[in-house]
Each structure stands twice: as structure tokens, then as C-alpha cells.
Amino acid sequence: MEAISQWAASLCFAAVAGGLCQMLAPDSGLGRVLKLSISVFFLCSLLLPLGALELDFSDVLQTSQQEKSYELSEEITEEVNTEVYQMMEGQIEGEVQNFLSQKGITPVQINIDILQQGDSVMLMLDLLLEEKDRPMQAWMEEQMSSDLVQVSVHYTEGEKNNG
């Protein structure tokens, strides 16, 4: 604020000095050159302090760049998490299929959902089996269910849902 008041005071002094000099200048050719010089002096005293101002917009630019990098980081993290979950679902599906095939069970369809709530991850396993595999349901639920895995079994004929 002090710089602005100093700039205004210097403009006032330059205007007073220029006005006095113009009143004292003769009307001849030399007087016109003096009046032109006084006008240039006043214009310089008006514009020169503006050139000395240090306008720093780096904080604004830096904040904008930080916001953009944060948004980009969030997008990349989300994409990586999605890809990792898809890879995990594929591997888990293969493991479930191998595990069931050891007991002679061939699933018609396996759906896997991975739910993340805070730090914990819950695996939702949805099996569609043929009716002939119904006697193995208790064994499957006992072997495959846990605190982190919820098993739901459906059958192709006369569906029955447990889980």
C-alpha cells in the first residue's frame, strides 16, 4: 500500500513541476520542444513505477498445477485399481474352477465381485451350477466361505439360493 501512495505523490509532484515549466516556457519553437519534453517526463513518471512492480502469480499457477496433478493421480490410481481387481477376479475364477473340478463339479457360470470398504476387502462369489451338483452345496459353502468370502449358489433348474 505504501508503494501506491509513493507513486501517487510522485505523480502529483511531476504534474506540478511540469505545469510550472510549461507556464514559464516561451511560445516559440524552443518552448514547444520543452512542452513535449515535459509531457514525456510526466508519462515516464506515470509508467516507470508500474514496470518496477513485481507481480507474482507463481502461487496461483503452482496451485493450479498441483490440483491438476492431484486429479491426474486420482484418475491413474482408479484405473490401476480397476485393472488389478479385474486381474484378481480372473485369477480367483480360475482357482475356484480348479478347486471345484477336483470334486467333479463343473460350474456353468462364476461371478466374482470384489467389494472394498475402507481397509477391508470382501469377496462375493456367485456360482451357477447344474442341478446334479446340489448334494455338494454344504461342502462348497463350508470349504469356500469365510469372513472375507461370501458364497451364493444358484442352480440351472429350480434355483435355490443360499449364502
Side-chain angles (χ1 to χ4, degrees):
M1 192 66 169
E2 185 178 332
I4 294 174
S5 62
Q6 287 178 352
W7 177 55
S10 68
L11 279 179
C12 290
F13 290 131
V16 168
L20 287 175
C21 288
Q22 280 189 351
M23 283 195 277
L24 296 175
D27 289 335
S28 64
L30 184 59
R32 281 183 257 152
V33 171
L34 182 61
K35 287 180 183 180
L36 178 66
S37 299
I38 292 170
S39 298
V40 170
F41 167 74
F42 184 74
L43 188 61
C44 287
S45 64
L46 176 72
L47 297 177
L48 226 53
L50 293 177
L53 285 178
E54 292 183 19
L55 301 175
D56 187 17
F57 295 110
S58 63
D59 291 343
V60 174
L61 295 175
Q62 186 177 10
T63 303
S64 175
Q65 290 172 348
Q66 287 175 344
E67 289 173 357
K68 287 180 183 177
S69 64
Y70 179 75
E71 289 173 4
L72 182 60
S73 172
E74 289 294 318
E75 288 176 17
I76 290 172
T77 302
E78 188 175 321
E79 288 177 14
V80 167
N81 285 343
T82 301
E83 289 182 22
V84 166
Y85 284 147
Q86 288 175 349
M87 286 176 31
M88 286 174 53
E89 286 174 1
Q91 289 177 345
I92 293 170
E93 183 176 339
E95 291 295 323
V96 168
Q97 194 140 13
N98 288 339
F99 180 73
L100 293 177
S101 67
Q102 290 175 356
K103 285 291 187 174
I105 301 170
T106 305
V108 176
Q109 184 176 0
I110 300 174
N111 291 324
I112 299 171
D113 288 324
I114 299 174
L115 305 175
Q116 182 175 4
Q117 297 173 348
D119 292 339
S120 66
V121 176
M122 181 74 168
L123 182 70
M124 308 293 287
L125 183 60
D126 189 27
L127 301 173
L128 180 63
L129 304 175
E130 294 178 8
E131 185 65 33
K132 67 178 180 79
D133 296 322
R134 189 178 293 269
M136 300 297 290
Q137 181 173 347
W139 175 84
M140 284 186 287
E141 290 175 351
E142 178 184 322
Q143 295 295 317
M144 298 171 74
S145 293
S146 71
D147 292 339
L148 302 175
V149 179
Q150 183 178 1
V151 179
S152 176
V153 182
H154 304 276
Y155 296 95
T156 55
E157 296 175 21
E159 289 187 10
K160 180 180 178 183
N161 184 2
N162 291 329

